[in-house]
Amino acid sequence: MSTPVIVPAVLRTEIRLFRREPGAVFWILLFPTLLLVVLGSIPSFREADPSFGGLRPVDAYVPVAVLLGLIFGGLQGMPQTLTGHRERGVLRRLATTPVPPSALLAAQMLVFGGTSLLSALLALAVGRLGFGVTLPAQPLGYLLALVLAVLTSLALGALLSALSRTTKIAGAIGSAAMFPAMFCAGVWLPVQAMPDVLARVVGFTPFGAAAQALNAAAAGDWPGWDHLAVLVAWTVLLTAAAARWFRWE
């Protein structure tokens, strides 16, 4: 069997395994939108607020909800799944078959990357239909920023997988990294409401740069090249580190 046939088969298997994990499905695909619904149900969140640049808080939280799925997928879902495969010897057994271990890694990236994109689309749709949130006025820039953010989250997930010997370690590292990532994405305080100095500092982090790029595109501007460059730089750096330290056994 050739590799082009093997990869779709591995992908189908990984999709079936992912669907059997209700926790992963909930946190990556559903929780970000549910959080948006809860916040949007608060009357004050549907009124313009000067501290949010004249936006309604619910408008400001749509990009946050978009990034939440990426954070859960990259920091919790992918590392624990890949580390679990390594612990159970799945990667070692693949080395004795025609299936290259890289096919499993590619399938994992497609599963979690695709789920993160679905989560983002769901948040955008619910924001628009449920709360009248305007769709991104610069759709191409928004899509570019979103794709780069997904690649960064997957690269981060690959690095956490490389550094973790067991699923418990992967879960602990992912949890430790998740809260700073959520802060930078604006979960507790959207970037628009951050002091200027804090917003500039956050803009050098992967999810802080992604939040600012998405905000700019949502407002109709092309995402800042500095924020896009930050995302590209983090993706390259994290990917190189993951390739350096990743072990199949």
Side-chain angles (χ1 to χ4, degrees):
M1 187 180 294
S2 62
T3 300
V5 177
I6 291 171
V7 173
V10 174
L11 178 59
R12 287 193 297 270
T13 299
E14 291 302 309
I15 291 174
R16 285 197 298 270
L17 292 174
F18 176 79
R19 289 168 57 187
R20 295 174 185 172
E21 295 291 339
V25 173
F26 172 78
W27 288 107
I28 300 172
L29 187 60
L30 301 179
F31 176 77
T33 298
L34 290 176
L35 178 63
L36 180 64
V37 169
V38 170
L39 295 175
S41 299
I42 302 173
S44 62
F45 273 58
R46 300 194 300 272
E47 299 176 1
D49 189 333
S51 64
F52 288 87
L55 294 173
R56 301 176 303 164
V58 69
D59 298 321
Y61 269 100
V62 168
V64 176
V66 166
L67 291 175
L68 265 182
L70 279 63
I71 292 172
F72 284 121
L75 297 181
Q76 290 289 327
M78 184 177 168
Q80 294 194 53
T81 301
L82 271 178
T83 306
H85 285 335
R86 186 194 294 127
E87 268 189 302
R88 293 189 294 271
V90 173
L91 300 181
R92 183 175 62 252
R93 290 195 295 272
L94 280 178
T96 65
T97 72
V99 182
S102 57
L104 179 60
L105 180 59
Q108 283 289 305
M109 296 179 72
L110 287 172
V111 168
F112 286 101
T115 306
S116 298
L117 287 174
L118 285 176
S119 175
L121 292 175
L122 182 60
L124 287 169
V126 170
R128 174 59 182 167
L129 298 175
F131 305 105
V133 176
T134 304
L135 292 176
Q138 177 52 265
L140 291 180
Y142 200 94
L143 179 61
L144 174 61
L146 180 58
V147 170
L148 287 177
V150 170
L151 292 176
T152 304
S153 71
L154 293 175
L156 184 55
L159 177 59
L160 293 183
S161 302
L163 296 176
S164 304
R165 287 182 173 272
T166 67
T167 53
K168 289 184 178 180
I169 294 176
I173 296 177
S175 296
M178 185 171 61
F179 290 101
M182 291 170 67
F183 174 81
C184 293
V187 173
W188 290 282
L189 183 66
V191 176
Q192 299 96 321
M194 290 181 179
D196 290 341
V197 173
L198 179 59
R200 284 197 294 271
V201 171
V202 164
F204 288 102
T205 68
F207 295 107
Q212 296 188 37
L214 292 176
N215 287 335
D221 301 319
W222 186 260
W225 290 109
D226 52 343
H227 296 135
L228 296 178
V230 168
L231 289 172
V232 172
W234 275 109
T235 299
V236 172
L237 179 64
L238 293 169
T239 300
R244 169 65 178 82
W245 288 308
F246 193 87
R247 296 292 180 269
W248 296 110
E249 298 185 21

